[in-house]
Amino acid sequence: MTVLFVGSYAPAGDPGIHAFTFDGASGDLRPAASFAGVTNPSFLATAGDYLYAVGETGRGSHGTHGSVHAFRIDRQGASIDLVPLNRRSSAGDYPCHLRLDHAGRRLAVANYGGGSVAVFPILPDGSLGEMTALVQHSGEGPNPARQEGPHAHSSIFSPDDRFLIVADLGIDRLVVYAVDGSALTTYGWTATAPGAGPRHLAFQPDGEHLFAANELDNTLTSYWYDAARGFLESLQTVPTLPPDAPANTAADLHRSPAGDFVYVSNRGHNSIAVFAFDPEDGLARTAIRSCGGDWPRGFAPVPDGRYLMVANRRSDEVTLLPLLDGGAGIGDPVSRAAVREPSCVVFG
């Protein structure tokens, strides 16, 4: 039985983090527990017996910076509980993304509102240590409504944890930082197409290719990554939508466990775009299928690669979609679960 957690938008007094159990053989999705206490826990990350959540707040709406929360996952048979460990300020407005390094020693937090990134050490008990790095972006992009300033939207550690790459939607850049302990030093950057608005990132298992989902121009870009130099070179950009699609913003990005397929969610078109990837031939779109709901903000492949779990924010539900033809296609939902304004799915 697999356990998954769903983050959502909810006031602190209402349950915002939800736990489910999932039977991969039957596709059965069952609620296990819900947890309150965090305002807008819209993005989650797990590492072993620990779960981390943002509190997506900002001074404009809540009078305070956002926050990051650490929990211990307590498993007692079929029972699941979250034990709060501690909370830290994210030192910025509206944190929207978390990323753990591969060693489980650092947590990077992207603050969308002001365009900054903070790093926290993970202590031996799973709690968050004092912030050790805070970097602030500057600049703007050509879209006055969405790119009036920097908007750090996500980050990813390089496979060897030597670098942290930050996708900044507001300035159309992938900013590369050298990681020294828990400190960050600006190392370089790669520009996207003007107005692309890079949002989420994913590395291939080979560590030589990086993908970026571009929110504003609804594209997927592949990059060659030189691990020795921490250097990115753009290889290919493909649309995530058919030509006649309605207004849309691309959202989440994941690859299949083997790395032979890449998936991007489309909010507005309400679909998941599927791309085959080969290091020699590049990206080729194989399908665009319904997400089974409205506004697929976040999703995640089930670890065995047989399903996608999709958080459809505006239809207040999580849908389970089967992957067909070895991952090249997507079927109709086989299971649904009601969650108010879901935004993120992680397994733990």
Side-chain angles (χ1 to χ4, degrees):
M1 193 72 70
T2 301
V3 176
L4 65 130
F5 295 93
V6 178
S8 68
Y9 285 87
D14 293 345
I17 302 174
H18 306 267
F20 291 84
T21 58
F22 168 67
D23 187 331
S26 66
D28 188 33
L29 185 62
R30 298 194 175 190
S34 293
F35 309 96
V38 180
T39 301
N40 296 336
S42 62
F43 201 91
L44 311 176
T46 56
D49 290 328
Y50 302 101
L51 179 144
Y52 303 92
V54 301
E56 190 178 330
T57 63
R59 289 166 294 177
S61 60
H62 296 81
T64 182
H65 280 318
S67 55
V68 191
H69 302 253
F71 299 87
R72 186 179 75 248
I73 305 171
D74 190 1
R75 313 169 202 262
Q76 299 290 336
S79 175
I80 301 168
D81 194 15
L82 288 182
V83 179
L85 297 177
N86 69 339
R87 170 192 181 279
R88 299 284 184 187
S89 169
S90 71
D93 290 338
Y94 306 108
C96 63
H97 188 273
L98 300 170
R99 183 75 72 174
L100 287 151
D101 70 2
H102 297 84
R105 298 173 184 166
R106 312 175 188 91
L107 181 72
V109 183
N111 292 305
Y112 179 87
S116 64
V117 178
V119 175
F120 298 87
I122 304 296
L123 302 181
D125 66 353
S127 63
L128 297 165
E130 296 279 355
M131 182 177 65
T132 56
L134 179 66
V135 291
Q136 176 65 56
H137 294 176
S138 61
E140 59 187 19
N143 184 329
R146 296 293 309 278
Q147 296 182 309
E148 79 295 342
H151 294 300
H153 214 310
S154 73
S155 67
I156 193 167
F157 285 92
S158 62
D160 58 9
D161 287 336
R162 292 175 57 225
F163 299 100
L164 180 71
I165 304 168
V166 179
D168 195 306
L169 177 148
I171 60 176
D172 287 327
R173 289 184 180 183
L174 304 185
V175 185
V176 181
Y177 292 96
V179 180
D180 181 9
S182 290
L184 299 179
T185 302
T186 303
Y187 188 82
W189 53 269
T190 297
T192 69
R199 178 183 172 99
H200 279 189
L201 306 169
F203 265 107
Q204 271 288 87
D206 64 11
E208 295 181 355
H209 295 88
L210 179 76
F211 301 108
N214 301 307
E215 176 175 338
L216 301 183
D217 71 357
N218 299 300
T219 60
L220 170 67
T221 300
S222 62
Y223 295 86
W224 174 68
Y225 175 68
D226 183 335
R229 296 188 295 151
F231 173 79
L232 291 166
E233 178 185 347
S234 177
L235 297 176
Q236 184 184 10
T237 296
V238 293
T240 67
L241 296 170
D244 58 348
N248 185 85
T249 51
D252 204 4
L253 163 71
H254 291 276
R255 60 167 176 80
S256 63
D260 47 353
F261 293 98
V262 182
Y263 307 95
V264 180
S265 61
N266 289 309
R267 297 173 298 180
H269 191 249
N270 291 337
S271 63
I272 306 292
V274 185
F275 301 86
F277 178 74
D278 180 87
E280 297 297 326
D281 299 330
L283 292 162
R285 199 170 68 207
T286 63
I288 301 179
R289 290 297 309 275
S290 170
C291 65
D294 187 0
W295 214 252
R297 182 179 173 91
F299 70 96
V302 173
D304 66 7
R306 295 171 58 194
Y307 299 92
L308 293 181
M309 205 76 71
V310 184
N312 293 300
R313 182 178 176 184
R314 291 185 179 175
S315 54
D316 296 326
E317 62 184 342
V318 175
T319 54
L320 179 68
L321 307 178
L323 291 172
L324 309 176
D325 303 324
I330 296 176
D332 296 329
V334 298
S335 186
R336 299 175 183 270
V339 177
R340 178 185 171 188
E341 292 198 58
S343 54
C344 175
V345 179
V346 297
F347 293 89

